Amino acid sequence: MIRTSSRLLRLVSLLSARSEWTCRELAARMAVTDRTVRRDIARLRDLGYGVESAPGPWGGYRLSPGVRTPPLVLDDEEALAVAVALRETALSGVLGTGQAALSALLKLRQSLPTRLADQLEALGGTLEHTPRSGESQIDTPLLLELARACHSALRATLSYRDHSGRASVRAVDPYRLVHTGLRWYLVARDVAKQEWRTFRADRVVSVRPTTEPADVTDPPDAAALVSQGIASVVYPVRTTVRLPLPLDRALRTIPPTIGTHRPDGPEATVVEIGGNSADQLATYLLGLAAPLTVLSPDEVRQAVVRHAHALLAANR
């Protein structure tokens, strides 16, 4: 029975690898007789796989599109390739939040045999991800642990360091991971404070699940909570600008993780942004390439004018 099951999985893998096979080709690849191939094709059909056949000596077999999708069967090299691709997709955010790639990677890691999981772990240790400006790196194993904590529906013990480097240990109810395009954030309920909080994933030291169920009743909008938290960070300098754009377009120009927005009529939006200095804010605003107006303060307005004059003089 084990040999037959393994052979059926091998047959599905071959049928998935190319559009059509002759019976003789399949028999040669599987080191069995033509009769065995025909019997195995019949077994696959009994299991619900859509396998089409063309009659005649030159006919062959192929998987047909149907209601039931056969499970994906990967060999060792294919599994490692998919895992690495999912890892890079999750870390780069090329598909937006990265949640789908991270979830798929978690499922794949859980289904891999120990031998392949060890190979993937070793391979992951040799790969580096080039961060974007201002982005902090996070190890893939830790990111997967956080994802697993969110999926487990169990309360967890979180070891964390804040922006000042102070360490703390907290009981949390993990809920969601949010990717902002720069960093990953864990959204969880702080059990002691009885409130929903956001934690920068790259500042998490460890996360350990408990056996107690998590309380995630009445959860927040995780992405909105992260955006609000980032935008409300206390900066030394804050500026208010007016964009001649409706709110939806203004949000695409300045993301909600950068500033707080409010409509100023149907065709304009006022945005408040924080930064470390007037020059830093001026550089960011000029990089938007938008006809904005600095409403306050004067030091940011003057910095924008100064940088604009310098740029104009350098390109005459």
Side-chain angles (χ1 to χ4, degrees), residues 130-264:
T130 303
R132 281 170 265 183
S133 177
E135 179 187 6
S136 299
Q137 296 234 38
I138 178 172
D139 293 332
T140 305
L142 177 57
L143 193 60
L144 288 174
E145 285 299 321
L146 292 172
R148 191 174 290 112
C150 293
H151 280 282
S152 70
L154 295 175
R155 185 161 292 172
T157 301
L158 187 73
S159 297
Y160 189 73
R161 293 187 183 275
D162 63 14
H163 66 282
S164 300
R166 291 173 298 193
S168 63
V169 178
R170 316 184 191 197
V172 298
D173 294 328
Y175 175 56
R176 288 288 187 273
L177 277 173
V178 176
H179 189 247
T180 65
L182 293 176
R183 298 186 181 97
W184 284 95
Y185 288 83
L186 170 68
V187 174
R189 194 176 69 90
D190 189 312
V191 176
K193 296 183 179 180
Q194 292 292 298
E195 61 183 16
W196 290 97
R197 302 289 298 273
T198 62
F199 302 90
R200 267 180 51 173
D202 57 287
R203 291 177 180 165
V204 173
V205 178
S206 65
V207 57
R208 296 184 301 276
T210 68
T211 57
E212 190 175 353
D215 178 9
V216 291
T217 55
D218 193 25
D221 182 327
L225 186 65
V226 170
S227 296
Q228 293 166 6
I230 296 173
S232 62
V233 171
V234 177
Y235 288 100
V237 182
R238 299 196 74 84
T239 185
T240 304
V241 300
R242 184 179 187 272
L243 294 172
L245 301 171
L247 181 60
D248 59 337
R249 291 181 57 192
L251 285 167
R252 292 195 294 269
T253 303
I254 301 177
T257 54
I258 300 297
T260 54
H261 302 62
R262 70 174 186 272
D264 186 23

